[in-house]
Amino acid sequence: MNEPFSGTTRGEIDTSVPHSARVWNYWLGGKDYHPADQAAGDAYRERYPDIEPFAKESRAFLIRTVRYLAREAGIRQFLDVGAGLPTSNNTHEVAQRIAADCRVVYVDHDPLVLLHVGAMGLSTHEGAMAYVLADMRDTDAVIDGALKTLDLTRPVALVISDVLGHIVDWDDALGLVRRLVGRLPSGSYLALSHSTAADEKHRAVQEEYNNSGAIPYIFREPEQTKAFFDGLQLVEPGFVSWPNWRPDGNTGRLTERAGWGGVARIP
C-alpha cells in the first residue's frame, strides 16, 4: 500500500535554476527535469563525457545493495535517506520484487518529490511505500516520520546513496550517519555510497559546477569516507569502488576511481 507523506512543502520550486537532483535524473535517462537542468547536464557532459556512465554505476550499486539486503540479509524494512527523484528500479521496486511485504520509506528535503510521486510506482498490497519530507540532517524528523511506516524494534536497512557530498562539513556528514545508525536496532544494516573524483578532470568540472550557483557536491577520498562504517560489521567484499561491490552482468567497469560504497551490519 502507498501511505501519506509526512512533512510540509517548503515554498515554490524555481525551475529556471539547475537542480542537482534533476540533473542527475537527466543523466540517468529519467523524465523529471527542465530545460535549465538539461542545459547544465549537457554542459557538464561536454566537459566530462564519462559523467553519464558514472551516474549509472552509482545507480547500479544501489540496486545490487538493495537486492542483497532483501534476498540474502532478509531485510523487510528500508529507510532511503536523500532519495531524490524517481527513475527506474527504485528501492521499493527492487526490494518488493524479492519480498512483496517489504516496507520502504523515502526521505528528501525537496518538495519537488511531491510533484513526482506518481513516477515512483505503486507499492505492493502486502508491503508499503511512504515519503518523509525532511532535511536529512534533522535526524529526529527523519526517524519520527519513518515511525509511521516502519517498526524500529525490527531490523531496518538504512540506505544513503551518494548524497552525503551535498553536506560540505565533514563532521556534519559523519554525525548525521552516526545519529541515524544509533536509532536503529541490532541486526539492522547501513548501505552507503559516496562519490570520489575519478580523475583531475572530473574534479575540475565538478568545481566549476559547484561555483555555478547549483547545490554543490563535495568529492571525498575513500580513506576518509570509510569512517562512516566505523564500529559496524562490513559484509564482503567490504568498502570498495562501485563496480567491485558484488558485480553482476550489468555492472559497468568505467574506472576503479568511481565512487565507493559498502554494506555493513549494525551489531
Side-chain angles (χ1 to χ4, degrees), residues 87-230:
T87 55
S88 61
N89 285 313
N90 300 293
T91 296
H92 77 282
E93 294 169 325
V94 176
Q96 290 179 351
R97 278 198 293 268
I98 295 167
D101 60 338
C102 284
R103 304 177 71 82
V104 178
V105 173
Y106 295 99
V107 179
D108 203 282
H109 76 286
D110 192 340
L112 187 66
V113 300
L114 294 172
L115 301 181
H116 298 284
V117 61
M120 184 65 80
L122 297 176
S123 168
T124 59
H125 292 295
E126 301 91 337
M129 183 267 285
Y131 282 84
V132 175
L133 187 62
D135 190 315
M136 60 184 171
R137 291 169 292 189
D138 186 352
T139 51
D140 286 339
V142 170
I143 294 298
D144 288 346
L147 281 169
K148 298 177 181 180
T149 304
L150 305 181
D151 177 2
L152 296 193
T153 67
R154 297 171 50 236
V156 174
L158 173 62
V159 178
I160 307 179
S161 180
D162 202 19
V163 294
L164 291 171
H166 292 304
I167 300 179
V168 175
D169 185 86
W170 166 247
D171 289 336
D172 287 349
L174 188 61
L176 177 160
V177 174
R178 290 181 174 171
R179 289 194 305 275
L180 287 174
V181 166
R183 298 290 299 272
L184 301 181
S186 175
S188 294
Y189 284 81
L190 170 65
L192 183 147
S193 66
H194 199 298
S195 283
T196 299
D199 50 42
E200 287 308 310
K201 180 67 172 178
H202 189 192
R203 188 184 303 279
V205 174
Q206 183 64 39
E207 288 177 358
E208 290 181 13
Y209 178 85
N210 290 349
N211 293 329
S212 71
I215 299 173
Y217 187 102
I218 306 302
F219 290 138
R220 295 185 172 105
E221 294 301 302
E223 293 81 6
Q224 181 180 34
T225 53
K226 188 177 181 180
F228 288 123
F229 295 96
D230 285 352

Side-chain angles (χ1 to χ4, degrees), residues 14-19 22 36-37 212-214:
D14 186 356
T15 61
S16 68
V17 177
H19 188 285
R22 298 195 302 259
D37 310 305
S212 71

